[in-house]
Amino acid sequence: MSTRPTRNRARDESGVIAVLVALMAIVLLGIAALAVDMGNAYARKRLVQTEVDLAALAGGAKLPATDTASRLLAVEAVLDYLQRNATFGQEQDGWTAAQLQDGSISNGEVVFESDGRMRVTAPPATVNFGLAGALGFSTVNVAAVATVEIRSPGQVAPLFLLDGCSHGSGVIKDGNQDPEPQPIYVPASTSNGSGIPTPTRSSVDPISAGAAIQLELTGSSFTGATTVYFTRDDKNWTAPALSVTATSLRVDVPDKVYNRPGVWHIRVATATKLTKDSNNLPVTITTGSAQPGCGTSSTGDFGLMQSPRDDVASGQWLELNIARGLDHSVAPFTPFPTTPNGSCRSGSAVVTGAILDYDPPGSSQDGANCVNIYTGNQVSKTTDGLLERLADSQSSCGPDNGTSPTFLIDRTVNNDVLSCFLTDGYSLGDVGQSGAPAGVISASVFDSPRFFWVPVLGAGVNPANGDYAIKSFRPVFITDESDFASHLASDASTRNGIVANNSQLSLVQVYAFSADALPATADATGSTLPYLGAGPRVVRLVE
């Protein structure tokens, strides 16, 4: 019997191994080639994603898109960025706004998910494979999507203003027990002996705020009187004494007095004598129990909303909503209902289009356009919520640009004033009405806990516990500054809009101003909320 030599079997096995190594080399080279080309595709995908992110932000700056024309502006802004920054492999020739709205994502698309939110799909970029072509893979298309929305900086507080009473100084909380501040007389009187001028009666008292007026003062020892002093809290203003006799004189009330409701203390000065501080004549500048004279209630609570939260029981809603802002979105009712006072009910039925913010037993829902009014005394909850909002917060823009907090009910609280955020050359009166100059209030105001937004309702609320449509939103700031306050020239009192009687708030004053005065866009680092339909727009990528 014959056998093959051992060396022949070894030669045959070595040939098999060589074939296997060759085959494996081809596979490994193919995998390496595919990895290189897929890495190139991934890198191109990242470039396209960056491109579409920035294109979406460019279009987002044109939001809200409320009609065909405004949507086209946003689409054209997206298109312009894409055309100027096309990624290698994108065939940008012939790109049009119509293409981005033809319903096909294969060539890029802009979809408006709401007036303030849009989704942008970039036209695909073609990546040509190199070595991977040997494996049958020639090209791949890569695309990317970005969603952008506009938001409003700040928070919505559970308070409201009434249309027609939604600009300038106003009262949110009036406890009808406002303790008048002690006057700080400058200069203090040191007069002694006889011949001290002493006013005893004003021809008009109380005086209606907001209009120029001349008073006739009667009293004694007026001969030689030159100056009349008006003092409230730490504010002292003067006016010349006119038509002086021994027992009477006339004086034109300074605008900074007749525009500031409250009790003012009058003294008269001659060349050598000044009314003793204790013998001042008090007169009252008034517009009623709740300046500017609307929305009062028998409980003294003006403008409180019953707005539900999902994180606490109903007994804590008001306190936390004041401290932290609403935890859901609210929106204007468009078009505003024709029911009396914009009521969201016609009899017991809810009007068409109404979304009730408070609709037990249901919970809160985003986009509510009708708010419910609190009734009953809510002083304790208002006090606790406001203290939590303001307490232990460092002031960044206090009177005279100071940073010191003030003191309230055994707590240090933020003492910012609105005028500190104004551009030089403007006063609060310039921003207190619609059509205010644009951008004259700094975006840093959004970081103050005294700033927030409130809904504006119709002309009244009757009945007081109903559901009423939101007409718009207004930015407000807690302060008692007047129209005359300007940058580094605040006229806020030492109380700065917050008055406590013992351990409870008795007065909270705000200044409501035009959203036009805020920057058109903002890069807010703090709280934001869905766009309110007015004011600054914070443009953000959300997906």
Side-chain angles (χ1 to χ4, degrees):
M1 183 172 79
S2 64
T3 61
R4 293 180 180 178
T6 303
R7 63 178 180 274
N8 290 339
R9 289 199 303 267
R11 184 182 304 115
D12 291 342
E13 290 174 0
S14 65
V16 171
I17 293 172
V19 171
L20 291 175
V21 169
L23 291 174
M24 289 299 296
I26 293 172
V27 172
L28 291 173
L29 287 173
I31 293 173
L34 186 60
V36 169
D37 285 334
M38 291 305 293
N40 184 32
Y42 178 75
R44 192 77 57 83
K45 165 84 171 178
R46 293 185 62 182
L47 290 175
V48 175
Q49 185 65 60
T50 299
E51 173 195 14
V52 74
D53 286 348
L54 296 176
L57 289 172
K62 303 298 182 181
L63 297 177
T66 57
D67 53 27
T68 301
S70 55
R71 291 189 185 96
L72 181 59
L73 286 176
V75 172
E76 288 177 340
V78 171
L79 176 64
D80 178 66
Y81 187 90
L82 290 175
Q83 288 177 328
R84 290 187 295 107
N85 299 275
T87 299
F88 180 72
Q90 286 180 319
E91 298 297 333
Q92 69 267 37
D93 292 340
W95 285 355
T96 64
Q99 171 188 324
L100 294 178
Q101 291 187 290
D102 63 2
S104 173
I105 63 173
S106 64
N107 57 4
E109 191 71 13
V110 176
V111 177
F112 292 92
E113 298 181 347
S114 68
D115 291 349
R117 182 181 173 114
M118 69 179 184
R119 185 176 71 253
V120 179
T121 301
T126 300
V127 180
N128 294 313
F129 286 160
L131 296 175
L135 299 179
F137 302 101
S138 58
T139 63
V140 66
N141 289 331
V142 294
V145 179
T147 302
V148 67
E149 72 174 6
I150 53 172
R151 299 178 66 82
S152 292
Q155 301 169 332
V156 172
L159 314 167
F160 68 87
L161 294 173
L162 298 178
D163 193 28
C165 301
S166 59
H167 288 92
S169 299
V171 168
I172 291 296
K173 170 72 192 69
D174 180 8
N176 300 322
Q177 293 179 337
D178 176 15
E180 275 293 320
Q182 292 298 312
I184 302 173
Y185 296 107
V186 178
S189 176
T190 58
S191 299
N192 289 303
S194 60
I196 300 174
T198 304
T200 57
R201 183 179 177 276
S202 168
S203 59
V204 180
D205 186 20
I207 301 168
S208 296
I213 188 171
Q214 186 178 84
L215 302 180
E216 181 179 5
L217 304 180
T218 55
S220 59
S221 302
F222 284 176
T223 302
T226 58
T227 306
V228 179
Y229 286 85
F230 295 82
T231 301
R232 183 172 190 264
D233 197 11
D234 59 346
K235 304 304 177 187
N236 290 266
W237 307 107
T238 63
L242 308 172
S243 305
V244 178
T245 70
T247 58
S248 70
L249 61 81
R250 304 188 73 84
V251 61
D252 292 321
V253 178
D255 54 9
K256 292 184 177 180
V257 174
Y258 66 68
N259 278 300
R260 294 299 301 270
V263 177
W264 288 84
H265 302 266
I266 296 177
R267 298 177 299 158
V268 177
T270 66
T272 58
K273 301 282 187 176
L274 175 61
T275 305
K276 287 186 175 182
D277 298 344
S278 59
N279 290 338
N280 73 83
L281 173 64
V283 295
T284 301
I285 311 293
T286 182
T287 58
S289 62
Q291 212 284 92
C294 54
T296 59
S297 72
S298 59
T299 65
D301 293 314
F302 165 51
L304 297 178
M305 289 162 39
Q306 184 167 217
S307 185
R309 297 181 66 93
D310 293 334
D311 54 349
V312 295
S314 59
Q316 295 177 275
W317 288 351
L318 180 59
E319 177 184 342
L320 286 187
N321 281 334
I322 291 176
R324 305 174 188 175
L326 304 189
D327 68 349
H328 56 284
S329 66
V330 287
F333 196 134
T334 305
F336 195 74
T338 58
T339 50
N341 295 319
S343 174
C344 293
R345 295 182 183 272
S346 179
S348 60
V350 176
V351 301
T352 302
I355 304 173
L356 302 183
D357 188 34
Y358 177 67
D359 190 18
S363 59
S364 64
Q365 52 184 327
D366 284 330
N369 55 18
C370 294
V371 298
N372 185 265
I373 309 306
Y374 257 122
T375 56
N377 196 316
Q378 306 294 333
V379 176
S380 178
K381 295 173 183 177
T382 304
T383 300
D384 292 343
L386 199 61
L387 280 177
E388 182 178 341
R389 184 179 187 89
L390 300 182
D392 305 319
S393 173
Q394 180 70 38
S395 300
S396 62
C397 215
D400 299 322
N401 205 31
T403 58
S404 299
T406 190
F407 203 64
L408 176 70
I409 312 179
D410 299 326
R411 302 281 294 276
T412 56
V413 300
N414 177 280
N415 197 34
D416 290 341
V417 292
L418 179 57
S419 63
C420 181
F421 299 97
L422 274 174
T423 300
D424 284 339
Y426 293 93
S427 68
L428 292 190
D430 295 321
V431 302
Q433 298 295 327
S434 297
V440 298
I441 295 180
S442 166
S444 57
V445 73
F446 306 137
D447 297 323
S448 175
R450 287 177 175 258
F451 170 86
F452 49 86
W453 298 85
V454 297
V456 177
L457 309 186
V461 287
N462 185 23
N465 61 343
D467 297 286
Y468 294 93
I470 299 173
K471 198 167 190 177
S472 61
F473 290 89
R474 190 82 68 233
V476 301
F477 196 93
I478 299 173
T479 186
D480 60 6
E481 290 184 297
S482 76
D483 290 343
F484 300 97
S486 59
H487 186 61
L488 299 185
S490 172
D491 60 2
S493 73
T494 55
R495 309 182 303 179
N496 197 15
I498 306 173
V499 181
N501 188 12
N502 297 321
S503 61
Q504 299 288 343
L505 293 178
S506 61
L507 185 73
V508 179
Q509 296 170 274
V510 300
Y511 195 93
F513 56 96
S514 171
D516 297 334
L518 295 166
T521 58
D523 184 19
T525 57
S527 299
T528 64
L529 60 155
Y531 188 58
L532 297 172
R537 291 161 290 127
V538 180
V539 184
R540 287 188 174 175
L541 291 171
V542 292
E543 290 180 9

